[in-house]
Amino acid sequence: MSADSTRTAFRTCPLCEATCGLEITVGPGEQIVRIRGDRDDVFSHGFICPKGSTLKQLHEDPDRLRRPLVKRDGVHVEVSWEEAWRAVHEGLTGVIARHGREALAAYVGNPNAHNLGASTHNSVWLKALGSRNRFSASTVDQVPKHVAGGLMFGTAQSIPVPDLDRTDYLLMLGANPHASNGSLCTAPDFPGRLGAIRARGGRIVVVDPRRTRTAEESDEWVAIRPGTDGLFLAAILNVLYAEDLVSVESRIAVILNGLVDLGRSVARFTPESVADATDVAAPTIRRIARELAAAPTAAVYGRIGVNAVEFGSLNAWLIDAINVVTGNIDSPGGAMFTLPATGSSTTRGTPGKGKGFSTGRGHSRVSKRPEVLGEYPTAVMAEEITTPGVGRIRGLVTVAGNPVVSTQNATRLDEALADLEFMVSVDIYLNETTRHADVVLPAPSALEKDHFDVALYTYAVRNIANYSPPVLQRDSGQPDEWEILATLAAILQGAGPDADPVAVDDVMIQTMVGSSVATPGSPVFGRDVDEILVALSRDGRRGSVRVLDLLLQTGPYGAAFGANPGGLSVDELILNPHGIDLGALEPRLPEALRTPSGRIELAPPALVADLDRLAAFAETVDPDQMLLVGRRDLKSNNSWMHNLRVLMKGSLACTAHLHPDDAARLGIIDGGYARITSRVGSVDIAVEVTDAVRPGVVSVPHGWGHGARGTRMSVAVEKPGVNSNILTDEAVVDPLSGNGVLSAIPVSVEAVHIAG
Ligand SMILES: Nc1nc2c(c(=O)[nH]1)N[C@H]1C(S)=C(S)[C@@H](COP(=O)(O)OP(=O)(O)OC[C@H]3O[C@@H](n4cnc5c(=O)[nH]c(N)nc54)[C@H](O)[C@@H]3O)O[C@H]1N2
Ligand SMILES: Nc1nc2c(c(=O)[nH]1)N[C@H]1C(S)=C(S)[C@@H](COP(=O)(O)OP(=O)(O)OC[C@H]3O[C@@H](n4cnc5c(=O)[nH]c(N)nc54)[C@H](O)[C@@H]3O)O[C@H]1N2
Ligand code: SF4
Ligand SMILES: [Mo]
């Protein structure tokens, strides 16, 4: 290979929230030669996990869709883009003509959060849909954090992140960053940052029903009973108040509502009163509370294991309440607010005050679940499709989502999707969900797209900006992801099958610029719209990168189209391929607040009221009830990376983890099979007997159960596993957020004998 035909490209990995920098060697014929960690990346400094380098295999995967598919006589066949758009037009306008727009629905999945095209252009087709039936992976994930942050600090994006690099004490609940690399705490090499806490003499306590790698590498593992973290957290607060350990610096005290109310509301949750339900001894709870209070700096952090449970919002609130009353909110080493380069709802509007956060603008048709963040819970998707009546969902658009594997009561949703009149999916695989689609529109591979993690830099442990141009050119005819979404929007707006995505994009950017120049406090307030549009559109720039440029230029560090020389713009980021480090997090209160009171609401009434439900729940905890929890594996990514042989070879497997005491009692041997049954379903699965789970718990990873008829993932079917969401119950949600309950599911476990 001659040197001049080889080049090096830099690209942020889009696979998880850690945003690692990749160094990609491209050889002759535009072949990917090698992908490794970018040692010069300002944030990840060369760190990479086993998934990062698989962008090559993902790009080359023969099963990855490269041409649109249309279903004919039940079989997907390749068609031209023109033909596919005609089918989309006919399908969507048909549903609208027959049933009205409320019969349309949308589901957007997790990879949208790591996709620039989706970040900039999902809003336009979702709006054009003209239906309130919007669903997303957020309600099987993090919505409780938005609700709690919103009620306490004023916006859905007001989520503090633990200041990992400076904290002296980290109490971590329901998170396993050694497998997940962290979530709503963007921190490349999260494990390394945890190691550094201990190396500098700090302490890490992990609360998890499983002895995870994260727990093993910490100072203390608290093997809590699943689903009971709210009681544990309320008891920590109880101790802080009862022992007079509450300490809030004056800067925060003057902008704090509810300090007394919070104390009163947790008075009933003494450590002794919650010890049985949580299975955490009262002295342990007291000691952890005292340690939190005594540590020079401390942060409490909780993730999916305490969000995707019946008390998800309550848990998220109690965690940040502890951060507030121990004097650690908005303070280095505590829990802090990122100041994102693209801005967020915490940077727009009037600093320090706002409309606040609310939910319940509308309710779902069948179960009357309240709207949250403009969406209804995934829990109601199937019933909205299958229940007759006005407003019944008859048409569905999915973008980068696999709800048949990833959401509750998978069997029911699978059947419901088969019942739709029309479905279109934008995806890269023909999988358990997209097999139901009448039309599948292939998105470009990650290496063919540009990137900036708009969503996750909003919750990063440092302020970072990093833009990656596409590494490879798209195949001829393949539209960019934003073009697909803009075309969808145009068709939904009634522009017909030959709709022009550029027209939609032009209107969108004009509207955005118009709003920026009209907003007092905006860095371009009062400026000429055309001057800014010309600057944004130079060299024919369109689509996502143009929107990103506007967000950056008008953001907190922005160049503001010349008004702030040296400030951020896309061009500035192109000159800095390893990213720009905008520094460690800095205190942002009261400026970041958007509550109507202009204060931190420590005791929001809706959350305080939910404590009654928690207290009632404590009475019902049955120590003999087997509970199902999930788990993640470093080499797997939700439901969609099982088609890559590099990741599948070796130990990665879909098995149930069962404690030796339970295994003995149930007569199940290591390598044997168990039947796990919940209210909604039953699965048979191979068992690993291990004391890495506490007694009374069975752990099954999610994202498996491949091989359904009509899917096209030839590697994944070799080791299909079982779909753990056959067991999760859509009838139970966290009432405040609508978030699904994916953990602490009551199940029965019995031995089964599987022949062969
Ligand atoms: N039991 C249980 N269930 C869970 C969880 C759990 O812990 N336990 N976790 C939940 C969580 S946190 C989440 S976020 C959800 C995820 O839920 P989903 O987002 O619905 O599921 P994914 O498996 O992430 O599916 C992503 C889809 O996007 C496609 N895709 C990948 N890259 C691209 C791209 O660049 N463009 C397009 N258009 N498509 C792409 C994939 O092929 C796949 O179909 O699962 C949830 N489900
Ligand atoms: N390798 C890999 N990385 C990923 C993903 C992936 O699928 N694979 N998914 C990405 C996504 S979409 C997300 S949202 C993040 C999630 O990132 P994390 O929140 O770190 O997710 P998990 O690794 O599932 O860790 C959750 C932990 O909660 C524990 N748990 C379960 N129930 C309870 C409970 O009731 N109480 C307590 N205290 N703990 C409980 C589980 O045992 C598990 O160890 O990971 C992201 N990163
Ligand atoms: S940790 Fe996440 S962002 Fe980093 S290389 Fe792995 S998958 Fe990519
Ligand atoms: Mo997630």
Side-chain angles (χ1 to χ4, degrees):
M1 187 191 306
S2 71
D4 56 2
S5 61
T6 296
R7 63 188 170 90
T8 304
F10 300 97
R11 211 248 190 230
T12 307
C13 177
L15 296 173
C16 86
E17 299 180 32
T19 70
C20 301
L22 305 177
E23 183 194 292
I24 303 175
T25 310
V26 187
E30 291 296 274
Q31 291 296 306
I32 302 298
V33 177
R34 183 181 65 195
I35 300 183
R36 62 177 183 185
D38 173 12
R39 276 166 301 187
D40 296 321
D41 185 277
V42 297
F43 201 15
S44 60
H45 308 289
F47 177 82
I48 184 172
C49 88
K51 294 184 296 304
S53 62
T54 66
L55 288 188
K56 170 181 160 68
Q57 285 80 6
L58 200 53
H59 178 75
E60 293 167 358
D61 184 352
D63 286 335
R64 182 174 64 78
L65 303 178
R66 288 162 176 81
R67 308 261 296 150
L69 303 176
V70 166
K71 206 188 251 182
R72 291 215 183 103
D73 301 324
V75 180
H76 283 104
V77 294
E78 290 194 354
V79 297
S80 68
W81 278 93
E82 291 71 27
E83 200 172 339
W85 284 126
R86 267 203 303 280
V88 171
H89 167 76
E90 274 162 32
L92 291 175
T93 53
V95 172
I96 295 170
R98 288 188 297 278
H99 311 287
R101 285 186 178 267
E102 276 300 325
L104 291 178
Y107 176 88
V108 297
N110 169 271
N112 287 286
H114 309 286
N115 183 331
L116 181 59
S119 304
T120 57
H121 286 72
N122 264 348
S123 58
V124 58
W125 72 264
L126 283 167
K127 185 161 180 239
L129 196 69
S131 165
R132 277 172 299 188
N133 287 316
R134 294 185 189 178
F135 304 90
S136 85
S138 291
T139 51
V140 276
D141 189 348
Q142 85 289 356
V143 181
K145 297 215 26 147
H146 297 300
V147 169
L151 293 174
M152 294 178 80
F153 306 109
T155 89
Q157 288 174 308
S158 309
I159 298 174
V161 299
D163 186 11
L164 294 182
D165 296 342
R166 290 180 290 188
T167 197
D168 298 290
Y169 190 103
L170 183 66
L171 172 62
M172 184 157 39
L173 305 96
N176 182 17
H178 273 269
S180 70
N181 278 296
S183 180
L184 292 185
C185 176
T186 284
D189 195 14
F190 203 126
R193 291 172 201 259
L194 293 180
I197 295 175
R198 299 183 72 202
R200 62 179 180 261
R203 186 172 168 82
I204 302 177
V205 177
V206 172
V207 181
D208 198 306
R210 300 188 309 118
R211 194 183 64 241
T212 59
R213 176 89 192 279
T214 305
E216 263 165 16
E217 307 272 322
S218 72
D219 296 278
E220 182 175 358
W221 172 40
V222 178
I224 197 165
R225 187 189 318 283
T228 65
D229 299 78
L231 294 165
F232 171 84
L233 292 162
I236 298 253
L237 280 166
N238 174 288
V239 175
L240 293 170
Y241 277 90
E243 300 189 0
D244 209 10
L245 298 172
V246 169
S247 150
V248 181
E249 58 175 315
S250 55
R251 176 177 74 90
I252 299 296
V254 297
I255 49 165
L256 191 58
N257 276 344
L259 191 59
V260 174
D261 292 345
L262 177 66
R264 210 178 291 133
S265 68
V266 296
R268 56 187 146 162
F269 298 100
T270 61
E272 290 70 20
S273 74
V274 306
D276 283 348
T278 57
D279 203 19
V280 183
T284 304
I285 300 176
R286 284 192 187 281
R287 176 176 48 76
I288 291 173
R290 290 171 191 154
E291 286 173 3
L292 277 167
T297 66
V300 189
Y301 164 68
R303 230 358 225 118
I304 193 100
V306 293
N307 291 146
V309 290
E310 278 187 71
F311 295 95
S313 300
L314 192 78
N315 291 343
W317 165 53
L318 294 173
I319 283 170
D320 280 324
I322 298 173
N323 285 324
V324 171
V325 303
T326 53
N328 286 301
I329 195 72
D330 197 42
S331 176
M336 304 189 74
F337 295 97
T338 311
L339 182 62
T342 50
S344 79
S345 50
T346 70
T347 69
R348 291 188 271 269
T350 312
K353 237 184 174 128
K355 280 206 312 282
F357 176 83
S358 61
T359 62
R361 289 164 299 183
H363 289 75
S364 69
R365 182 176 63 102
V366 181
S367 294
K368 310 288 177 230
R369 297 275 185 212
E371 163 277 343
V372 177
L373 304 177
E375 296 178 9
Y376 294 130
T378 55
V380 307
M381 212 159 111
E383 69 183 22
E384 291 293 336
I385 296 172
T386 55
T387 310
V390 177
R392 174 183 183 183
I393 295 173
R394 303 280 70 214
L396 175 67
V397 183
T398 74
V399 176
N402 192 5
V404 169
V405 177
S406 296
T407 71
Q408 312 96 302
N409 198 344
T411 312
R412 185 175 179 195
L413 184 64
D414 192 37
E415 286 164 9
L417 295 191
D419 185 48
L420 289 165
E421 289 178 17
F422 182 74
M423 174 169 162
V424 51
S425 296
V426 183
D427 209 284
I428 56 173
Y429 284 116
L430 197 55
N431 64 16
E432 298 75 15
T433 295
T434 59
R435 76 187 180 106
H436 291 293
D438 298 283
V439 185
V440 187
L441 305 169
S445 102
L447 295 176
E448 296 168 331
K449 289 188 279 208
D450 59 353
H451 192 62
F452 182 104
D453 208 317
V454 178
L456 279 314
Y457 285 146
T458 305
Y459 310 106
V461 297
R462 295 184 69 83
N463 296 313
I464 298 288
N466 197 339
Y467 170 75
S468 326
V471 175
L472 302 174
Q473 280 197 337
R474 294 190 302 278
D475 285 347
S476 71
Q478 168 68 53
D480 205 347
E481 192 129 358
W482 74 262
E483 292 178 289
I484 300 174
L485 301 173
T487 308
L488 208 49
I491 288 176
L492 285 163
Q493 288 165 356
D498 307 317
D500 177 13
V502 173
V504 170
D505 182 52
D506 281 345
V507 170
M508 183 180 154
I509 196 83
Q510 277 160 20
T511 312
M512 290 179 79
V513 173
S515 141
S516 276
V517 300
T519 304
S522 156
V524 293
F525 178 57
R527 297 267 291 270
D528 179 45
V529 173
D530 288 335
E531 168 219 341
I532 291 175
L533 281 175
V534 167
L536 284 170
S537 310
R538 71 192 170 287
D539 305 328
R541 216 176 246 172
R542 290 284 179 284
S544 301
V545 68
R546 182 166 66 167
V547 176
L548 176 66
D549 199 26
L550 177 66
L551 296 176
L552 288 169
Q553 297 231 32
T554 56
Y557 317 84
F561 303 94
N564 178 24
L568 287 188
S569 63
V570 165
D571 287 345
E572 184 65 21
L573 292 183
I574 288 172
L575 294 174
N576 290 274
H578 309 290
I580 295 181
D581 182 357
L582 301 158
L585 304 189
E586 285 177 26
R588 284 195 58 200
L589 296 186
E591 161 269 313
L593 293 175
R594 293 294 184 275
T595 47
S597 61
R599 291 164 157 249
I600 300 171
E601 297 295 349
L602 192 55
L607 289 163
V608 170
D610 210 27
L611 287 169
D612 288 342
R613 190 171 61 98
L614 182 69
F617 158 78
E619 304 299 317
T620 67
V621 172
D622 171 6
D624 295 327
Q625 174 64 59
M626 289 295 292
L627 297 171
L628 173 76
V629 305
R631 68 176 189 270
R632 282 177 163 73
D633 191 295
L634 186 58
K635 289 192 179 173
S636 179
N637 197 21
N638 294 325
S639 75
W640 66 275
M641 290 186 72
H642 294 150
N643 210 48
L644 305 180
R645 207 172 287 284
V646 269
L647 296 174
M648 292 294 274
K649 66 179 188 221
S651 61
L652 184 64
C654 178
T655 57
H657 286 180
L658 198 60
H659 189 273
D661 294 353
D662 291 319
R665 179 173 51 84
L666 297 164
I668 299 172
I669 55 161
D670 188 61
Y673 279 79
R675 175 161 301 158
I676 307 177
T677 306
S678 72
R679 185 189 77 87
V680 298
S682 186
V683 301
D684 291 349
I685 182 170
V687 172
E688 280 180 72
V689 176
T690 167
D691 67 358
V693 288
R694 53 161 282 146
V697 166
V698 58
S699 162
V700 178
H702 75 285
W704 296 80
H706 306 300
R709 197 162 36 86
T711 59
R712 209 175 286 169
M713 292 189 296
S714 53
V715 176
V717 295
E718 292 174 16
K719 227 186 196 183
V722 299
N723 182 347
S724 69
N725 282 313
I726 287 173
L727 299 169
T728 53
D729 190 342
E730 85 284 18
V732 201
V733 296
D734 168 33
L736 291 176
S737 67
N739 205 85
V741 175
L742 307 176
S743 198
I745 317 283
V747 289
S748 64
V749 183
E750 61 188 309
V752 282
H753 299 285
I754 292 185

